[in-house]
């Protein structure tokens, strides 16, 4: 609710637009945040204006007092907004109210930027100003392996991570031994959604979970991989799935895909921040069993790694099976039209974002790079229009859990990547 400034008040201004802006200014002066204003209820009350221009009286009330102008007091002081539907100037004014409501929501959505955690690595890379105290105000829980100051924390909250994940699968499938290990030890054809969610859960846990949860997730992965093996499709040689060369390939294909797609779709990251992101994931490399010193630590090292491993890559039968699966994953007959309209577009976009040598190996052309970039940016813009709180409701909800544990200052946001 709006604060009781000098007692219960009603902003009964002559123009509804003026009333909305008055509320904005009051909110700004008193530093209100999401916990104090039921802004969704307020904005929605303004949106219902297609047929009539509502006479909105934004009232406030203390927890024990009824609001004026016909409003009702609600336990805890939550406000109700009275709307008079008796006529009005029509749809044009209704659109004006929508615009103002959108501005209201936009202005109040981001919480006040917290003081960043002053971890030494963050200061060294320009992500955290020198002289900060070393922890974020209001954060009492375990911030995990990456912490809200990391570039990873901000990047992994972006919705384009889903497209990036599909790109990573395309790229990983080009290594014959890596993809053979998946074919022999995974039921991804019958449980595609389950495998996708297990991967998302691992990434979410290691990024946003507690230190203990991340370490336990890594130990579980290492234990599973340590029990598995596969047969080389060309030589017939038996090999371990946790071979360091294979783990490094899977790691680099994944991290490169995340960074490439997110940046190319419009997420603002400088080269220094991109280097920091890659360096941070020496931690995730350690979790799956890699020596952190053997994992690329910046863009230059990542590029050198791909150049080194490039001669080993090929699009064999297993890779083509993955390609076919990603374009036409098994689904319920009633969902096939949705798969054709939605999923295949996403899969094709992920394929198009692959490096040129991958297109050559798969033998399927892709649009010109400029066209791919425009499509990635358009998709990123569209997905980022979905309110973050709504997106983060999708399982496994790691971001919401981290915010509940650490406070609203832990909310991922692109502008925080450069702090």
């Amino acid at each position: 609710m709006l604060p009781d400034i000098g007692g219960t008040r009603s902003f009964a201004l002559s123009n509804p637009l003026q009333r909305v802006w008055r509320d904005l200014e009051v909110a700004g002066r008193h530093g209100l945040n999401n916990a104090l204003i039921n802004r969704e209820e307020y904005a929605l009350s303004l949106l219902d204006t297609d047929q009539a221009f509502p006479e909105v009286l934004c009232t406030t009330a203390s927890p024990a007092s009824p609001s004026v102008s016909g409003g009702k007091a609600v336990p805890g002081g939550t406000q109700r907004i009275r709307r008079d539907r008796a006529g009005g100037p029509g749809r044009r004014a209704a659109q004006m109210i929508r615009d103002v409501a959108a501005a209201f929501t936009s202005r109040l959505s981001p919480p006040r930027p917290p003081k960043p955690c002053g971890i030494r690595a963050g200061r060294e890379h320009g992500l955290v100003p020198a002289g900060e105290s070393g922890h974020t105000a209001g954060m009492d829980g375990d911030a995990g392996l990456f912490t809200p100051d990391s570039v990873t924390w901000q990047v992994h909250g972006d919705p384009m991570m889903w497209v990036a994940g599909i790109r990573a699968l395309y790229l990983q499938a080009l290594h014959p031994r890596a993809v053979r290990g998946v074919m022999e030890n995974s039921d991804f054809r019958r449980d595609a959604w389950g495998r996708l969610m297990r991967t998302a859960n691992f990434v979410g846990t290691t990024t946003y979970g507690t230190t203990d949860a991340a370490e336990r997730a890594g130990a579980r992965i290492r234990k599973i991989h340590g029990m598995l093996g596969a047969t080389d499709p060309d030589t017939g040689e038996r090999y371990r799935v946790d071979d360091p060369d294979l783990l490094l390939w899977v790691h680099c294909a994944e991290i490169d895909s995340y960074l490439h797609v997110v940046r190319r779709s419009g997420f603002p990251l400088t080269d220094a921040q991109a280097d920091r992101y890659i360096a941070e994931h020496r931690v995730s490399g350690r979790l799956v069993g890699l020596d952190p010193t053997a994992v690329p630590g910046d863009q230059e090292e990542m590029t050198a790694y791909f150049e080194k491993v490039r001669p080993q890559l090929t699009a064999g039968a297993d890779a083509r099976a993955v390609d076919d699966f990603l374009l036409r994953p098994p689904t319920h007959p009633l969902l096939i039209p949705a798969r054709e309209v939605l999923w295949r577009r996403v899969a094709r976009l992920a394929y198009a974002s692959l490096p040129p040598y991958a297109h050559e190996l798969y033998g399927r052309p892709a649009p010109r790079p400029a066209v791919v970039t425009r499509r990635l940016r358009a998709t990123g813009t569209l997905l980022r229009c979905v309110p973050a709180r709504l997106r983060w409701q999708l399982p496994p909800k790691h971001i919401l859990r981290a915010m509940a544990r650490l406070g609203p200052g832990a909310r991922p946001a692109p502008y925080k990547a450069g702090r």
Side-chain angles (χ1 to χ4, degrees):
M1 69 172 187
L2 289 171
D4 191 1
I5 309 167
T8 301
R9 292 191 178 184
S10 171
F11 300 136
L13 302 181
S14 59
N15 187 305
L17 291 176
Q18 292 175 336
R19 286 196 292 275
V20 174
W21 283 112
R22 171 67 64 84
D23 291 347
L24 259 176
E25 293 307 315
V26 170
R29 286 199 303 269
H30 291 269
L32 301 182
N33 56 33
N34 297 348
L36 296 177
I37 287 187
N38 192 341
R39 54 187 171 76
E40 289 85 3
E41 179 181 359
Y42 181 41
L44 288 172
S45 73
L46 299 177
L47 292 177
D48 187 15
T49 53
D50 276 344
Q51 303 302 324
F53 188 91
E55 188 66 16
V56 180
L57 293 180
C58 181
T59 65
T60 66
S62 62
S65 305
S67 62
V68 297
S69 304
K72 296 180 180 179
V74 182
T78 303
Q79 67 181 11
R80 296 293 187 192
I81 299 173
R82 182 174 68 79
R83 293 181 292 173
D84 181 359
R85 296 180 173 273
R91 290 180 180 272
R92 209 169 147 197
Q95 185 58 50
M96 294 173 67
I97 279 290
R98 284 192 184 88
D99 294 340
V100 174
F104 178 84
T105 302
S106 173
R107 178 164 172 177
L108 292 181
S109 288
R112 285 176 171 264
K115 289 186 177 182
C117 300
I119 55 177
R120 188 178 70 174
R123 286 196 290 265
E124 290 174 352
H125 290 266
L127 299 176
V128 180
E132 291 292 352
S133 62
H135 64 279
T136 301
M139 291 189 175
D140 300 323
D142 179 357
L145 295 178
F146 288 98
T147 82
D149 290 317
S150 66
V151 179
T152 296
W153 192 279
Q154 320 313 327
V155 168
H156 286 187
D158 191 79
M160 288 299 287
M161 285 285 290
W162 292 98
V163 178
I166 299 173
R167 180 191 189 268
L169 294 176
Y170 271 117
L171 194 55
Q172 290 166 348
L174 291 175
H175 195 296
R177 284 198 168 195
V179 70
R180 171 46 46 181
V182 173
M183 291 293 186
E184 291 190 15
N185 296 286
S186 171
D187 60 347
F188 76 92
R189 288 187 180 92
R190 291 170 298 183
D191 187 26
W193 181 249
R195 178 175 175 82
L196 180 64
M197 291 308 299
R198 286 191 293 273
T199 301
N201 186 55
F202 177 77
V203 174
T205 299
T206 56
T207 304
Y208 301 109
T210 63
T211 301
D212 180 64
E215 294 291 354
R216 282 189 283 108
R220 186 164 54 249
I221 289 293
R222 294 193 301 272
K223 181 178 180 180
I224 293 173
H225 287 172
M227 297 186 295
L228 302 178
T231 303
D232 188 293
D234 297 322
T235 67
E237 177 189 357
R238 192 71 182 169
Y239 61 91
R240 292 171 61 94
V241 169
D242 62 355
D243 181 291
D245 289 341
L246 300 183
L247 295 178
L248 185 59
W249 165 252
V250 171
H251 170 87
C252 290
E254 181 177 299
I255 298 307
D256 177 76
S257 293
Y258 293 163
L259 184 60
H260 179 87
V261 169
V262 169
R263 290 188 82 187
R264 198 172 174 186
S265 65
F267 192 100
L269 283 180
T270 66
D271 284 339
Q273 291 158 5
D275 286 342
R276 179 60 186 162
Y277 175 80
I278 294 173
E280 288 171 355
H281 281 278
R282 284 176 163 165
V283 172
S284 60
R286 175 185 64 78
L287 288 176
V288 299
L290 287 167
D291 176 0
T293 62
V295 177
D298 57 32
Q299 295 175 91
E300 184 178 354
E301 292 181 6
M302 185 71 80
T303 299
Y305 169 77
F306 280 112
E307 290 177 355
K308 177 183 176 182
V309 78
R310 166 70 179 85
Q312 304 174 36
L313 307 182
T314 184
D318 290 339
R320 297 192 182 283
V322 171
D323 180 23
D324 182 70
F325 169 80
L326 290 175
L327 287 175
R328 289 171 288 274
T331 188
H332 190 280
L334 294 178
L335 297 178
I336 289 178
R339 183 188 69 182
E340 298 301 309
V341 173
L342 299 176
W343 175 262
R344 292 193 71 174
R345 290 177 182 269
V346 174
R348 286 171 175 166
L349 181 60
Y351 175 86
S353 68
L354 288 167
Y357 68 78
H359 298 147
E360 294 176 8
L361 291 173
Y362 275 112
R364 195 166 77 248
R368 292 180 294 106
V371 174
V372 176
T373 299
R374 284 199 299 270
R375 291 178 181 174
L376 284 169
R377 285 185 172 269
T379 304
T381 300
L382 177 64
L383 292 179
R384 291 166 191 139
C385 285
V386 178
R389 280 277 186 173
L390 180 60
R391 289 190 273 109
W392 296 338
Q393 289 291 339
L394 295 174
K397 301 185 180 181
H398 289 295
I399 296 177
L400 294 180
R401 292 174 185 169
M403 291 172 61
R405 186 175 76 249
L406 302 174
R411 178 190 178 100
Y415 76 90
K416 295 181 180 180
R419 295 183 65 87

